[in-house]
Amino acid sequence: MLLLGALVLAGPARAADPLIRSGEQSRPFASYLEQYERCKAREEFTPPRGEYETQEEYRLRLERLRVGCDRHRLIQDAQLRVPVFLDYQADQQRFMFELPQADAFRIHYQPLIWDDFPAFLGKLPRDKWHVDDPTAKASVYKECQPRRVVLNEDFITRVEPFRADSWRGCMTYYERGEEFAWRRDENTFYIEDVTFHARAPVDRARLLKEQEKQLYFVIDGSLKVPEREFVAQRVRLRNTATDTDFLQLLPE
């Protein structure tokens, strides 16, 4: 499982293959993928009809092999639990957090993040965004804005998105239009990573530090197995021993 909380500015926080919970199961992604691929192999295999097998018996046997693999293709109500190692800046009274990624599959946070790039710009805001425009088509990066944040205000008073490095955060393209304006490519919205500060007074931060061994990012969503995608629908910073949530990222 991934150890996160302290930001690694060279690249997004990653895990080799965190366990995915579904119902009573808790397995690595490779196990879900193997189950799906075995189902597809059975579905596509057509055995020969037996010498003493009637046509009707053969048809029924093939039907049993063709039960379908949809239940292995999409795993609803899946969950990831990723341990959190806290990184606190006492003078600024804030934690730094980065939502995790995995090596075996990609976690998509689009349902939790605003696509708030404007359709048109008179000029590119280079003082706020990272802009790469050697040609007429500019790639731009800015901080990712959560759609909805719910805080346990006994501990955390505010969440402030930020971008950990130039080529990180949320990204899209702008193309130079008529009269030197910029038009956005509305088909492009990519989340490189999601980083944010969580404001907490020093005394509250010390209490959180005491709970660090029980702190996890709990990510609820659905697993698209052949696409190797986990679509996040909720993220909680949670003490899993006491079931206390300190912050939640939610859709609208």
Side-chain angles (χ1 to χ4, degrees):
M1 281 191 172
L2 174 65
L3 307 181
L4 73 95
L7 293 177
V8 182
L9 299 184
R14 305 193 70 84
D17 196 0
L19 296 178
I20 302 170
R21 298 177 180 226
S22 178
E24 299 300 319
Q25 301 181 86
S26 183
R27 298 183 287 155
F29 173 76
S31 177
Y32 289 95
L33 182 61
E34 180 183 12
Q35 187 177 48
Y36 171 75
E37 290 178 341
R38 285 184 175 181
C39 180
K40 289 297 293 182
R42 289 194 302 269
E43 188 178 58
E44 295 169 1
F45 174 65
T46 301
R49 178 180 169 184
E51 181 180 2
Y52 295 95
E53 188 174 31
T54 67
Q55 183 64 43
E56 180 63 13
E57 289 171 335
Y58 182 54
R59 183 187 66 79
L60 292 174
R61 182 158 67 95
L62 290 181
E63 281 186 1
R64 288 193 293 270
L65 291 174
R66 306 289 189 263
V67 293
C69 298
D70 287 348
R71 61 194 177 97
H72 302 304
R73 171 186 291 275
L74 179 64
I75 310 299
Q76 300 279 16
D77 300 322
Q79 185 182 92
L80 302 173
R81 293 191 178 190
V82 182
V84 173
F85 278 45
L86 294 172
D87 185 348
Y88 186 67
Q89 298 171 324
D91 290 337
Q92 290 78 24
Q93 296 191 26
R94 67 189 186 188
F95 291 101
M96 291 195 302
F97 291 110
E98 177 179 348
L99 298 188
Q101 276 297 342
D103 287 337
F105 55 94
R106 181 162 186 84
I107 306 173
H108 287 287
Y109 294 107
Q110 276 83 347
L112 308 177
I113 301 298
W114 283 115
D115 179 359
D116 57 355
F117 285 103
F120 298 95
L121 288 170
K123 63 178 182 179
L124 299 176
R126 300 173 186 275
D127 57 332
K128 298 179 180 179
W129 303 353
H130 173 69
V131 178
D132 180 39
D133 60 336
T135 65
K137 189 171 185 178
S139 58
V140 299
Y141 297 78
K142 72 174 190 66
E143 68 280 359
C144 294
Q145 183 66 46
R147 288 178 176 267
R148 182 183 172 205
V149 180
V150 176
L151 300 177
N152 182 337
E153 295 184 357
D154 289 337
F155 290 87
I156 297 174
T157 60
R158 190 166 71 251
V159 162
E160 301 169 344
F162 78 101
R163 183 163 41 88
D165 203 354
S166 297
W167 302 92
R168 297 174 64 179
C170 285
M171 176 266 184
T172 192
Y173 291 112
Y174 280 88
E175 295 184 291
R176 196 181 296 275
E178 297 178 359
E179 300 180 359
F180 303 100
W182 294 88
R183 178 193 296 269
R184 185 194 164 180
D185 177 357
E186 295 183 355
N187 295 320
T188 301
F189 178 64
Y190 183 75
I191 298 175
E192 176 62 29
D193 58 17
V194 179
T195 54
F196 56 90
H197 292 128
R199 295 279 180 178
V202 174
D203 60 335
R204 301 291 94 182
R206 289 170 180 160
L207 290 177
L208 272 178
K209 181 63 177 179
E210 293 174 1
Q211 305 177 54
E212 186 173 26
K213 291 182 179 180
Q214 290 80 42
L215 290 181
Y216 286 78
F217 270 124
V218 179
I219 307 171
D220 298 300
S222 57
L223 177 66
K224 298 180 179 179
V225 177
E227 294 85 0
R228 297 174 179 262
E229 296 176 356
F230 188 102
V231 181
Q233 295 294 336
R234 177 173 63 172
V235 175
R236 290 171 287 172
L237 175 62
R238 163 168 278 214
N239 181 324
T240 56
T242 64
D243 289 337
T244 302
D245 292 329
F246 298 101
L247 66 83
Q248 299 185 64
L249 304 182
L250 300 165
E252 291 180 75

